[in-house]
DNA sequence: TGCAGTTATTAAGCATGCAAACCATTTGCG
DNA sequence: CGCAAATGGTTTGCATGCTTAATAACTGCA
């Protein structure tokens, strides 16, 4: 391994995190490509199947941890493809309720399976204590992030 | 914590990775905003300071682990800002050599400092064994990724 | 009650990444 | 040698994220 690379590896735990996270997502994407779900579009579908209804767009924004305009655009796409539909919220005229269509429900199940399959494949051979060690490091990093910025949104959701 | 969230946390180690990686990068970005370096532009500058010259664009592509068109566009921006310049490669008329200007060199130092500072701040309070435990989990995950796909590019750089 | 501030959604525009298609050059092999 | 395949760069078009700002509706307090 060239020097600069070893150097980088020492420097950047963060780079490693991002790279692995991206690779992970790519795995799920791969499994779902057949359903026409590209990149990020499967996540709204997944969460629509997990969140307790009624689900407003804002609820999705919080669950997906992406910004409202991004969610809106994804829903436009999913609506056009007939996986979700939006209906007015009687209780609050500003908001819209989002639901899965039958087709959407069906696909949500596929998504769940794909996510679970990838997860168990990638974590194969890693013991629970090892995983927990990772989690505790992650939590420490999140705490360190939180420390200086003082912003609860730095890692969405903030410290648990 | 609501049920669906606990559920998600168990499901998606990958989500966690991506989120932390993004937060990490945001920290560096924050420190470098004053230098007019946004998001990804500081990385080419950093690597131009680390790679042994001469550096062709392809070398950057490999180091940055992003695709050639993305690198090209970033270099366009950096060139316009006077941080780098491209010169013809006598040895191979297809390729271009990329170098830092004096201004670029100066900024590269700031980038290095910022990266190191963020790294040491975020890893503060984490022991070497803990970190190593993480690394070994990461390596296992990479191996698992590599397993089925068989593609050396799945996590760029492949298994070490 | 009524206005000020907050919240939900959308619109517009930018930053970054990718993949596919294309050109110019270089390399390797029959 | 000479042509096919590989390699370095760029162009184009798309996917996804963000920020900022507009609009509509709700909420809370004087």
């Amino acid at each position: 391994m060239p020097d600069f690379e070893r150097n980088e590896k020492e420097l950047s735990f963060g780079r490693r995190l991002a790279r692995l996270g991206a690779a992970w997502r790519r795995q799920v994407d791969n499994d779902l490509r057949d359903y026409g779900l590209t990149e990020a579009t499967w996540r709204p579908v997944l969460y629509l199947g997990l969140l307790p209804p009624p689900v407003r767009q804002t609820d999705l924004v919080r669950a997906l941890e992406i910004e409202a305009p991004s969610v809106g655009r994804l829903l436009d796409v999913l609506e056009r493809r007939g996986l979700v539909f939006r209906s007015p919220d009687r209780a609050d005229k500003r908001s819209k309720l989002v639901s899965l269509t039958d087709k959407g429900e069906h696909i949500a199940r596929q998504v769940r399976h794909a996510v679970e399959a990838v997860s168990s494949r990638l974590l194969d051979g890693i013991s629970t204590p090892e995983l927990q060690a990772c989690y505790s490091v992650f939590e420490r990093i999140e705490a360190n992030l939180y420390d200086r910025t003082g912003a609860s949104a730095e890692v969405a959701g903030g410290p648990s």
Side-chain angles (χ1 to χ4, degrees), chain A:
Chain A
M1 182 191 297
D3 250 22
F4 69 89
E5 220 175 282
R6 173 189 317 284
N7 201 0
E8 161 68 0
K9 185 161 277 180
E10 277 164 15
L11 276 180
S12 185
F13 190 83
R15 178 95 196 104
R16 198 93 183 256
L17 288 174
R19 198 160 48 113
L20 262 189
W24 191 299
R25 167 178 265 191
R26 247 190 326 272
Q27 290 295 307
V28 181
D29 285 354
N30 234 317
D31 286 5
L32 292 171
R33 200 178 310 285
D34 300 335
Y35 296 93
L37 292 172
T38 72
E39 272 294 322
T41 45
W42 58 263
R43 292 193 62 237
V45 174
L46 174 67
Y47 280 83
L48 277 171
L50 296 176
L51 290 164
V55 179
R56 297 166 305 158
Q57 290 194 196
T58 300
D59 299 325
L60 274 179
V61 165
R62 283 194 259 278
L64 295 172
E65 291 164 15
I66 60 181
E67 298 302 313
S70 308
V71 170
R73 191 172 32 186
L74 288 175
L75 291 179
D76 289 344
V77 171
L78 293 172
E79 204 168 27
R80 233 177 295 125
R81 292 199 203 161
L83 300 188
V84 311
F85 64 95
R86 289 186 254 209
S87 48
D89 179 355
R90 277 169 225 285
D92 184 339
K93 284 181 198 153
R94 289 169 307 175
S95 74
K96 296 179 181 173
L97 303 182
V98 188
S99 322
L100 290 170
T101 59
D102 287 347
K103 187 175 164 192
E105 294 276 10
H106 177 254
I107 296 211
R109 274 190 291 277
Q110 314 304 318
V111 174
R112 266 197 299 278
H113 294 158
V115 168
E116 279 162 22
V118 167
S119 193
S120 77
R121 185 166 71 79
L122 295 189
L123 295 181
D124 183 49
I126 299 171
S127 69
T128 305
E130 281 177 303
L131 263 187
Q132 247 156 12
C134 269
Y135 276 126
S136 85
V137 168
F138 292 171
E139 261 145 41
R140 177 68 201 222
I141 293 174
E142 286 188 22
N144 286 343
L145 273 167
Y146 190 66
D147 250 17
R148 190 164 75 176
T149 65
S152 62
E154 205 48 53
V155 163
S160 22

